Amino acid sequence: MQLTLASKTQKAKVYLDDRDLDQSDAFGTQVVKSVTLAKPNIFIVIEASFPAENLMGVQYPAGTVLTHITLDPATGKLKKVEKIQGGILGASLGNGTHVSEETCFPAKAPSKPR
């Protein structure tokens, strides 16, 4: 994961495996709403929206996902809270709040965002 801090002319950016997490195409839109560095944690808020779709004859309504990520680089602990409403995700995973936690590799050395 790489972070680019906000400047006067550009908002903060988050890259995961060299992919910009701000993306938009015919399948939906995903926008990083905020990145907060509050030692030792990094807080990231991502908002995604998806248009209505028909998949294999099943009609799904438009949907949204609001994701709050808390990452502690020193320990590698990652917590993700997702609020799913509608769409194929709501139909398959259920509408509401979903919480998951992972343990990633801790950062080898403190690094500065780009």
Side-chain angles (χ1 to χ4, degrees), residues 33-98:
K33 300 301 275 184
S34 68
V35 176
T36 306
L37 303 175
K39 286 188 177 184
N41 294 325
I42 300 169
F43 301 99
I44 303 168
V45 177
I46 301 170
E47 186 176 276
S49 60
F50 310 93
E53 61 185 319
N54 188 313
L55 186 62
M56 297 177 11
V58 177
Q59 183 67 37
Y60 297 97
T64 60
V65 179
L66 182 62
T67 304
H68 293 259
I69 298 171
T70 303
L71 174 63
D72 182 341
T75 64
K77 298 286 183 187
L78 179 139
K79 181 177 180 180
K80 183 167 54 172
V81 179
E82 296 175 296
K83 183 176 180 185
I84 298 172
Q85 186 60 46
I88 193 169
L89 290 175
S92 60
L93 298 176
N95 289 318
T97 303
H98 300 265

